[in-house]
Amino acid sequence: MTEHCSTQKNHSRYILIVLIITFVPALVIQAETSNDPFLSHYPSLDQAAKALAQGQLDVAIQGFEAVTQDAQTPSFVRGLALFGIAEVAQARQDQNTALATWERLAADASLLQFQRDTARRRIAEVKRLGRGLPARDPASYRVQLPALPAPAVQFYVAPTGNDTGDGSQKNPFRTLERARDAIRSLKQAHSGSLPKGGIRIMIGGGKYFWDRTLELTSEDSGTADSPIIYQSAPGRSAVFHGGVTITGWKPISDTKLRARLDTKIRDRVLQADLQALGIEDLGDATELHRCPELFVDGQPQTLARWPNEGFVKIGDIRGKDIFKKWEIEGCRDGKFSYIEDRPNRWLDEPDVRLYGYWFFDWLEEFQKVASIDPDTQTFTLAQPYSRYGYRKGQRYYALNIFRELDTEGEWYLDRRTATIYWLPRQDIETASAQTVLSVFDQSFIKMTDVRHVILSQLTLQEGRGNGIHISGGSDCRVDDCTIRRLGGDAVVVEGGIHHGIFGCTMHTLGCGGMCITGGDLQKLTPGRHYVENCHVFNISRLKRTYTPAVRLDGCGNRITHNLFENMPSSSMRINGNDHLIELNVIRKVVKESDDQGGLDMWGNPLYRGVVIRWNLWSDITGGTATGAAGVRLDDMISGVTVYGNIFQRCGAVHFGGVQIHGGKENLIDGNLFLDCHSGLSFTSWAEKRWLEAIERFLPQAGSPSYVKHYPELTSLKIQANVNFVSRNAFIRCDSIFLRRGQIQQTALNAVIDPSLEQILMAPGQKFLGDVALLKPLLFEPIPLHEIGPYESN
């Protein structure tokens, strides 16, 4: 709990700095951009909005009404004009007309769904003001956690307890399994029901060494009125360890082994006997969920590697199964030359592994070395080969090599002798250091078809697999837990309804933070899962790509008020429909991979209704050949709304803050692009490619549930690459659009002059853009003070 609260304070300090230094510049529209066809195709709309900003309200209302009455006006533009009419009414303090206009907008099924939803929000805000309340209620954008009843029964668990006890505070159980069984017995004694108020398992502070999964099934469920809660005792920290403490470190005694190491460090390398510690499962060096890791005082050590930092490049391809991809030659069988002489030293190494981006810089894999030929300086890899093959010049490094144990913090495990070797930092007292090898390779807790169970304030660490696995069931919550130092994912949710991960801290993970699947994509019924108020950082250490903070699949789920940072690839990968991604901070991600976004969607033109609003994206500037974006809508992604976001220092190479690849009907509205490589970038698809690619989706697009939910799917075959770009502001971006393509509907966008920044540097700023200078864009204020994690009880 302390670590999470500290993170929230640091985050608040970060937002304050952003407000003072960066996000409250004076915003003055450059006059010469008002007729720029790249920024707007509808000058009559621009002129009406400009008249509004200048206080010429009669001119403004005439202009907006003319736009709405023009039969040639696209519905997208008509909706913006209706917003303008409502703004004129507000400027005249005529709330009745403003409300009537928003109600008209909300009821017009021909307009974009987002515009109708925004009108409903504005109606609710005006009604709040009418009751003397602030227009916006931050609680409306937070999950409303139910108040927990006082438990009817409490069982106690402690590291010093005994499973033969009665589970009372004086005679606690030792294991959670025993507490679970006590609840089962209690339910059986009451005809399968729980006493009102439910049951709470109070877990005493201390260490619990984990060697088997806690299995909960439907019989372990609670109810809304009688939940079952597993939680740390107040003020205590219950820590579940999946590792074994390594003791008995001593210098290497075998002179032949010592001779293989660099003379500068060989006297400092220590060894320990794992068999003597009862560790039998040595796992695999690089296979996910099987590879052990060494942690010293909570910090992961590095499996002995070369080079010690960064990558080297593949030499010539020497495989026989040659192919070409986009005119790039590669081979499918793993045989290629190495350029440096270093691998010639590894001929006696029993199990050399390579890690690399073998053909594309957006996918990496571990590979086993079958043989090394020093005469031709050639690696021959063992099968299975990389799925995309190999090509010259790609980056890789070698690991699991005893001879490369040459840098402080490196370690090596010899599975032939069950001996572990470690080169500690010189400032570490090895006698007192906590050195732990991860051993447990299953999920710590598995919940199947469970309802109304809460896991609260628990710490799970030092396992090779996942932390918590939930499948089926409903209304379970992982609350204020810390999950760290695992080889897999922190939390996996498969199916079920309305499960939540709230207020958790997840870091130092081999894979990702959370994998969430919920909702029915055939019937478009929502799963209602949520991830809220979490901090996820320093993940994807073993699997560097496609292991984000959240991988979200299905329909109708939420990711809200989180902080995601410091990741080699995407922070979110979103599949499915009608998800809401709002009020998150995403920074310093896509640091190593290529062709990715801070949020990435890919490959299905029916993934619609996703709303990405009011998020802060910053310092996403990685990428190698293609680039990195804040939000990337890849390969046909369509019908997504990106609204009210701040993109600061986003985009690189060929990508802008938002990158759209072959999609249509995406709405990019009301965003601020600040110091970006480009605001937006587009990669258009030829009509033939579009029609061929969408062919397999047409049956589902024509199904009753999809046609009813997304009427625009009746036009799926036409107007490929046409998206809606409106009300966006661009400040100090290298360019506004990259590869503009066939963008046909743009309105009310503008480049902003940053020369008068001091005007808006008022302390206590809550909303970005709540100024008269942005009236020409009909710009809606961005709720800065709500973005990111918040304090919660």
Side-chain angles (χ1 to χ4, degrees), residues 666-728:
N666 297 296
L667 173 63
I668 314 301
D669 181 85
N671 303 284
L672 171 64
F673 296 88
L674 180 66
D675 294 310
C676 291
H677 175 62
S678 177
L680 291 83
S681 58
F682 306 91
T683 307
S684 298
W685 280 23
E687 182 180 17
K688 182 175 183 294
R689 180 182 181 185
W690 173 260
L691 292 175
E692 290 176 348
I694 67 171
E695 184 68 29
R696 63 191 176 98
F697 299 103
L698 293 178
Q700 187 173 7
S703 67
S705 57
Y706 272 74
V707 171
K708 179 180 179 180
H709 203 62
Y710 311 113
E712 68 273 14
L713 285 177
T714 57
S715 303
L716 182 61
K717 291 184 178 182
I718 63 174
Q719 291 189 313
N721 304 307
V722 177
N723 298 280
F724 312 112
V725 181
S726 57
R727 302 192 295 181
N728 298 290

Side-chain angles (χ1 to χ4, degrees), residues 403-439:
R403 287 181 179 274
E404 297 301 336
L405 210 167
D406 58 2
T407 300
E408 290 183 350
E410 287 191 324
W411 70 287
Y412 175 80
L413 174 57
D414 189 335
R415 287 172 173 77
R416 299 168 301 179
T417 62
T419 304
I420 187 172
Y421 300 88
W422 171 47
L423 176 56
R425 295 199 322 263
Q426 287 186 320
D427 61 344
I428 285 182
E429 292 289 339
T430 57
S432 59
Q434 291 293 313
T435 56
V436 178
L437 187 74
S438 60
V439 174

Side-chain angles (χ1 to χ4, degrees), residues 21-30 39 646-650 671-679 728-736 749-757 760 768-769 774 777 779:
I21 296 177
T22 310
F23 288 152
V24 286
L27 306 175
V28 181
I29 309 301
Q30 292 181 348
L39 297 175
I646 302 166
F647 295 93
Q648 181 188 26
R649 295 184 298 276
C650 292
N671 303 284
L672 171 64
F673 296 88
L674 180 66
D675 294 310
C676 291
H677 175 62
S678 177
N728 298 290
F730 304 89
I731 304 176
R732 289 190 302 270
C733 296
D734 295 341
S735 64
I736 306 307
N749 303 288
V751 176
I752 306 302
D753 186 346
S755 61
L756 301 177
E757 292 186 2
L760 299 182
L768 176 64
L774 282 181
L777 299 188
F779 196 89

